[in-house]
Amino acid sequence: FCRLSLGICLCSRQGFVLFSPKMPTEAEKRAAVYECLRASRKPADICKFLGYPRATVYALKKRFDAEMAANGGVSKGIGEPSPARKTHKHRKDALDEQDKNFMKKLQGKINNDPGRPVRRLAADMGVSERTIRRYLKLHCEALDG
């Protein structure tokens, strides 16, 4: 149990209104939502009670329900959803994934005309100027070394 969620539940039963001097972290927010879900509170009540957006609470409820279904409805112990964030994956629509030789093509254009403006490079490559600047920033050390 998280001390924050436990304190919130105890104070709410006694009718106290809590004002925390510090903002709770994301992990504390998720833990509080999971605690309320374990106590069989409705998502709408959790939204009002904790003051979190509906989308956040319903997303956490969906994850909570999926974990509970996968573990046979066990409400506590191993297999319950962790308040930790999910890991992020590399985008599949990134230029690295679409065109494996994008950096080689860009490097070739830079080598052919080192003084060429970034805007013109972007127009030649068919991407935005921001994309070219981002790739140059990310791969600048690789290009120099």
Side-chain angles (χ1 to χ4, degrees):
F1 290 173
C2 177
R3 286 190 320 170
L4 174 69
S5 60
L6 194 59
I8 288 173
C9 290
L10 290 174
C11 290
S12 68
R13 289 182 190 153
Q14 296 173 359
F16 292 107
V17 177
L18 294 178
F19 292 100
S20 176
K22 69 174 186 104
M23 296 294 292
T25 63
E26 285 185 45
E28 290 171 337
K29 286 181 180 182
R30 284 190 293 273
V33 171
Y34 288 147
E35 200 62 38
C36 291
L37 288 170
R38 275 189 220 99
S40 301
R41 295 188 110 182
K42 294 179 182 178
D45 295 337
I46 296 171
C47 294
K48 288 179 190 173
F49 178 66
L50 297 175
Y52 298 155
R54 280 189 307 163
T56 301
V57 174
Y58 278 98
L60 290 171
K61 181 185 181 325
K62 183 177 178 182
R63 184 175 169 196
F64 181 82
D65 291 343
E67 290 287 332
M68 290 300 125
N71 296 311
V74 177
S75 62
K76 293 185 180 178
I78 299 173
E80 72 182 23
S82 166
R85 287 188 74 162
K86 293 180 182 178
T87 57
H88 295 278
K89 297 178 183 174
H90 187 69
R91 289 179 55 154
K92 294 197 187 310
D93 63 343
L95 284 173
D96 291 341
E97 297 294 326
Q98 290 179 357
D99 186 2
K100 301 288 184 188
N101 297 321
F102 180 78
M103 273 310 297
K104 289 181 183 176
K105 291 177 185 175
L106 180 60
Q107 180 66 43
K109 290 197 179 285
I110 292 172
N111 288 342
N112 289 341
D113 187 5
R116 191 173 193 98
V118 174
R119 283 185 184 174
R120 196 157 298 151
L121 278 173
D124 291 346
M125 300 288 289
V127 296
S128 70
E129 179 184 350
R130 183 175 177 197
T131 300
I132 297 292
R133 290 190 187 280
R134 186 180 303 129
Y135 270 86
L136 290 176
K137 183 178 179 182
L138 288 173
H139 301 288
C140 186
E141 295 165 0
L143 294 177
D144 291 338

